[in-house]
Amino acid sequence: MGEGGDGGGVEEATVFEVGIAVPRLPRAAAGGRGEGEDCVARLVRELEDAGLVVERVRGVPAEFIKLSAPMGTLGRAAAEMQMKKLTYIGMELQFEWDQVAAFVRQPDGSLFSWRERFACFRHLIYGIMNKTNSIIILKFDDKEFHWSQNESLLSRLEDEGVVKLVFPLHDEIKRKQLLRNWALNWHDFTLQPIDEIYSYFGTKIAIYFSFLGMYTRWLFFPAVFGLATQLIDFGPLQWLVLPAFFIFVISWAVFFLQFWKRKNSAILARWGINYSFSECKTLGNELDSLSRTDDDVQEKKFGHAPDDKRILQRKEWFGVLLKIRNNAIIVLAIICLQLPFELAYAHLYEFTETEALRYLLTAAYLVAIQYYTRIGGKVSVILIKYENNQGEQSSADSLVYKVFGLYFVQSYIGLFYHASLYRDILTLRQVLIQRLIVSQVLENLIENSIPYLKYSYKKYRAVHKKKHEKESPAGKSVRLSTRVEKEYLKPSYTASIGEELDDGLFDDFLELTLQFGMIMMFACAFPLIFCFAAVNNVTEIRADALKLLVMLKRPAPRVAATIGAWLNIFQFLVVMAICTNCLLLICLYDEEGKWRIEPGLAAILIMEHALLLIKFGFSHFVPEEPAWVKANRVRYVAQAQNVCSKQLLRSISKLDTKWA
């Protein structure tokens, strides 16, 4: 164990993946007074006894304990946790260290994924218990407290305010490789090292960037078509251009979502993640949650099945009523508060004459509505707690739908109002351009500047506090010299609607869905909008990568096999796009952009129904998983059945021998 700076030799030889921050005490007070043992020293000793490699670093804002784990320590922790891992016969079995060769390796060759390693770290550090027969007295500075029997030491220190934070650490070598090969690589606009992202950040973030990369690549097709509609004069067939573009865009969106499902299943198979088992785990969590909420039902006898059924049905419908109540609160908030705000902006926009003032008005409106909608998001987080959701995933999906409903109204109601008020395609195009440009610029500015400002402020406070300490030499400059203290001061990757929602991808997916809705629902009004979206997404990939690698703490890994409820929202927006674009095409416009009703109404309505059939019909033409994934799954099932059959036959043979 080292103490002091980052220590070149130890840092190069050992990769520290987890850090623990504790308050920094003056060196003269480090020994303290009293009869108890120093709690930080006891924690370090217990961590070393658990098999972890420990290094103490004395930084400016705090003192840090950096942790690394040999493979044997991780294997022992995985076995103690009864961790399930995928084997080469396709079955997820309980991990055993002496049978390590039977388990599937990660794409980078390692035995455990980042999510599994982080889970092992948490098991080891939170699993340090007082196994003695007496209470242990610990001290920190002049404060003494008791460590009770069978109590977690780290949890106790967190309650006492000694442990300030437990956080993942960046691997500097891998971080720089990702910066070079991903965030700063502009040779291919959409190519990303997805396997390396998965190994470093975990499944959920890798799934997001895989989806973003595929979405951006597919955007180039409607972008080229949209550009052609503006640059090429089709002569007498010009009136067919927008309907043809509309049909192409809807077909493009349907095929994109179907091919994404195929790609999703393929990358899960490549990473050794059994999607069917992931579904079973989610279902198991929901069943556990249901059983915990109804202990009385579990205690009833088998003969009272009708009573059990009534109790479960009552709880089920009570949960439905709670969701209806919460959704009604959100809808009333939209109607009573947000809708008047939107209408006021639309009328102010009408009386604003110059384009510069309209851009400023749009920017002020978007900033104000962002903070207003975040308040609605925080209210949604509170309402979710009172719903009878079955499991964590069900609560997360419910929150996604509520917050998206708020942002859906915020983003599109003004556009709908402009379209119905002015009935002028040119005015609608101007509003679309202003909304898209201003919103993307503001979002990127806020998304990338706020983390830097938070870090700079925390750094200033830490340095300022250090300068005014008694032990600090006068006139000596104070700076952050170690990487771990810089990471400690960086913001966490959390959602903007509340830090309790520690999933920063919530904002990133929300931004993608709002963009997708805008370009799809108003495709016929402004075909060039796909070009703006494609250019923005190319920069978005790099901006999000830099944000994760440079400006934020390394996120804790999260379990996810798909993009979840967001896929349902994308599919909903495709249906909405069919309806809104048909309305736009019904109101055909002349050379001056004025709308007028034409006899083509029946043809447009027929097109709407045909496109709805295309949307739901094409979904069945494209299989949701590639043939090789399905073949591997079938082969794994056959192998698993064969193994189980042999084990069952051996068990029967042993029983026959014993009875004989």
Side-chain angles (χ1 to χ4, degrees):
M1 180 189 71
E3 182 171 353
D6 261 349
V10 176
E11 184 72 21
E12 293 177 2
T14 306
V15 177
F16 294 98
E17 296 189 289
V18 175
I20 301 175
V22 298
R24 181 179 181 275
L25 296 177
R27 294 186 185 275
R33 298 178 181 178
E35 300 178 356
E37 181 182 3
D38 179 68
C39 62
V40 177
R42 180 61 181 258
L43 175 63
V44 170
R45 191 171 76 251
E46 294 285 351
L47 290 170
E48 290 177 332
D49 292 342
L52 296 169
V53 179
V54 183
E55 179 180 350
R56 293 179 69 172
V57 177
R58 188 175 173 83
V60 172
E63 184 176 351
F64 304 95
I65 302 170
K66 300 196 299 182
L67 304 176
S68 177
M71 188 55 63
T73 302
L74 293 176
R76 176 176 57 83
E80 291 176 356
M81 296 168 60
Q82 299 182 348
M83 180 183 292
K84 295 295 184 65
K85 284 184 63 65
L86 189 67
T87 60
Y88 284 103
I89 62 170
M91 294 180 63
E92 283 193 344
L93 300 177
Q94 183 175 322
F95 179 80
E96 294 183 9
W97 179 245
D98 55 350
Q99 301 293 333
V100 66
F103 297 95
V104 174
R105 294 270 174 170
Q106 300 299 309
D108 60 355
S110 59
L111 178 61
F112 296 106
S113 66
W114 166 229
R115 180 190 65 83
E116 292 168 339
R117 293 200 308 275
F118 190 71
C120 290
F121 271 106
R122 291 186 62 86
H123 173 76
L124 289 168
I125 61 181
Y126 282 96
I128 298 174
M129 303 289 183
N130 179 7
K131 297 180 181 180
T132 65
N133 296 324
S134 61
I135 295 176
I136 299 176
I137 300 176
L138 299 175
K139 66 177 182 180
F140 183 77
D141 200 6
D142 293 330
K143 180 181 180 181
E144 290 187 356
F145 52 90
H146 295 163
W147 181 20
S148 304
Q149 293 175 306
N150 297 320
E151 182 184 20
S152 170
L153 176 58
L154 197 71
S155 298
R156 182 62 178 170
L157 295 181
E158 286 179 333
D159 294 339
E160 296 293 336
V162 176
V163 171
K164 301 166 68 175
L165 185 66
V166 178
F167 59 102
L169 295 175
H170 278 289
D171 181 342
E172 193 65 10
I173 296 176
K174 292 182 179 179
R175 188 184 73 89
K176 289 181 178 179
Q177 288 177 349
L178 285 172
L179 275 173
R180 182 171 58 255
N181 301 330
W182 177 35
L184 303 178
N185 180 18
W186 291 89
H187 296 298
D188 190 312
F189 291 145
T190 60
L191 183 64
Q192 301 179 87
I194 295 298
D195 288 343
E196 287 80 359
I197 297 171
Y198 162 72
S199 298
Y200 192 73
F201 288 113
T203 311
K204 192 166 188 177
I205 290 179
I207 288 286
Y208 163 74
F209 279 104
S210 179
F211 179 84
L212 177 58
M214 181 176 175
Y215 172 48
T216 305
R217 284 193 298 274
W218 277 62
L219 270 177
F220 285 108
F221 297 106
V224 171
F225 196 164
L227 185 62
T229 62
Q230 305 299 308
L231 298 180
I232 300 176
D233 184 8
F234 293 91
L237 299 178
Q238 187 68 33
W239 66 277
L240 287 175
V241 172
L242 284 183
F245 179 71
F246 173 39
I247 295 173
F248 172 80
V249 165
I250 297 300
S251 303
W252 165 85
V254 172
F255 277 114
F256 161 65
L257 294 177
Q258 283 302 113
F259 275 96
W260 160 249
K261 294 177 184 178
R262 286 175 59 86
K263 182 173 183 177
N264 191 13
S265 63
I267 59 179
L268 290 177
R270 190 170 74 238
W271 294 340
I273 298 175
N274 196 325
Y275 181 39
S276 60
F277 279 104
S278 299
E279 290 181 326
C280 291
K281 288 178 183 177
T282 302
L283 181 60
N285 292 335
E286 293 181 358
L287 291 176
D288 290 342
S289 176
L290 183 61
S291 64
R292 284 195 301 269
T293 60
D294 197 9
D295 294 335
D296 294 336
V297 172
Q298 299 297 329
E299 294 176 358
K300 286 183 176 290
K301 296 182 180 179
F302 182 76
H304 296 84
D307 295 336
D308 298 347
K309 181 179 179 181
R310 282 196 296 270
I311 293 174
L312 290 174
Q313 286 180 338
R314 185 164 59 246
K315 285 186 173 294
E316 177 188 9
W317 285 107
F318 180 71
V320 172
L321 291 175
L322 285 176
K323 288 187 177 181
I324 293 175
R325 182 204 65 180
N326 293 343
N327 292 335
I329 293 174
I330 298 297
V331 172
L332 288 175
I334 292 172
I335 295 175
C336 300
L337 300 175
Q338 192 166 354
L339 187 58
F341 188 82
E342 298 283 349
L343 298 181
Y345 160 72
H347 284 286
L348 285 175
Y349 187 91
E350 180 182 359
F351 293 113
T352 305
E353 298 180 354
T354 63
E355 286 298 317
L357 288 177
R358 285 183 173 179
Y359 271 97
L360 290 175
L361 177 64
T362 302
Y365 157 78
L366 290 176
V367 170
I369 204 66
Q370 281 284 336
Y371 284 98
Y372 170 79
T373 313
R374 286 180 184 179
I375 295 175
K378 293 178 183 294
V379 173
S380 299
V381 172
I382 297 173
L383 291 175
I384 291 295
K385 298 177 181 179
Y386 296 98
E387 290 184 358
N388 189 22
N389 290 303
Q390 307 300 330
E392 181 181 351
Q393 187 60 44
S394 178
S395 299
D397 291 346
S398 180
L399 179 62
V400 166
Y401 294 135
K402 286 179 174 59
V403 176
F404 175 77
L406 291 170
Y407 276 87
F408 180 85
V409 175
Q410 173 255 311
S411 300
Y412 306 130
I413 194 172
L415 297 173
F416 293 143
Y417 184 76
H418 275 87
S420 60
L421 178 66
Y422 293 105
R423 294 181 175 272
D424 188 339
I425 201 71
L426 299 180
T427 302
L428 182 58
R429 285 180 179 177
Q430 290 178 353
V431 175
L432 282 170
I433 294 173
Q434 291 170 358
R435 282 287 188 96
L436 191 63
I437 293 177
V438 174
S439 64
Q440 298 296 341
V441 170
L442 279 177
E443 286 172 1
N444 287 326
L445 184 64
I446 293 173
E447 184 179 352
N448 295 295
S449 62
I450 288 182
Y452 175 76
L453 293 175
K454 286 182 177 180
Y455 169 74
S456 300
Y457 176 69
K458 289 182 179 179
K459 179 180 176 181
Y460 168 77
R461 286 189 59 186
V463 172
H464 182 75
K465 183 179 179 180
K466 173 67 175 176
K467 286 181 178 179
H468 289 78
E469 287 183 356
K470 295 180 180 180
E471 65 172 6
S472 181
K476 184 178 179 180
S477 62
V478 179
R479 61 186 181 87
L480 305 181
S481 58
T482 60
R483 180 167 51 85
V484 63
E485 56 186 332
K486 294 177 183 178
E487 292 187 29
Y488 169 71
L489 294 177
K490 291 178 180 178
S492 300
Y493 189 41
T494 57
S496 60
I497 62 174
E499 293 188 358
E500 63 273 8
L501 186 62
D502 60 339
D503 183 8
L505 287 178
F506 186 92
D507 291 341
D508 293 324
F509 271 119
L510 181 62
E511 183 180 348
L512 277 185
T513 54
L514 293 177
Q515 182 202 79
F516 184 81
M518 183 175 292
I519 65 176
M520 290 296 298
M521 289 195 295
F522 300 96
C524 291
F526 188 41
L528 273 179
I529 198 171
F530 288 90
C531 296
F532 286 96
V535 173
N536 173 79
N537 286 3
V538 169
T539 59
E540 183 74 19
I541 292 174
R542 271 68 192 178
D544 287 347
L546 284 172
K547 176 180 67 177
L548 286 170
L549 292 170
V550 176
M551 291 184 287
L552 299 174
K553 289 185 180 74
R554 186 179 183 181
R558 298 177 67 89
V559 180
T562 66
I563 63 174
W566 298 107
L567 183 60
N568 296 331
I569 291 176
F570 276 98
Q571 293 172 335
F572 161 77
L573 290 173
V574 173
V575 177
M576 285 293 298
I578 294 174
C579 301
T580 57
N581 283 281
C582 283
L583 288 174
L584 290 175
L585 289 176
I586 287 174
C587 302
L588 299 177
Y589 54 89
D590 56 22
E591 291 81 2
E592 296 179 356
K594 300 299 181 181
W595 291 359
R596 52 192 174 86
I597 301 296
E598 290 288 343
L601 175 60
I604 299 300
L605 292 178
I606 293 174
M607 181 189 299
E608 179 184 25
H609 289 76
L611 286 172
L612 287 172
L613 290 175
I614 289 175
K615 191 263 181 240
F616 295 106
F618 282 5
S619 301
H620 299 284
F621 293 155
V622 181
E624 293 189 2
E625 60 179 1
W628 67 269
V629 174
K630 185 179 296 185
N632 283 345
R633 183 160 49 81
V634 172
R635 178 168 56 86
Y636 288 154
V637 171
Q639 291 177 346
Q641 289 177 343
N642 187 30
V643 171
C644 292
S645 299
K646 291 180 178 179
Q647 289 180 346
L648 184 60
L649 288 174
R650 282 197 295 266
S651 300
I652 294 174
S653 300
K654 290 180 181 178
L655 290 175
D656 290 341
T657 303
K658 184 183 297 184
W659 290 340

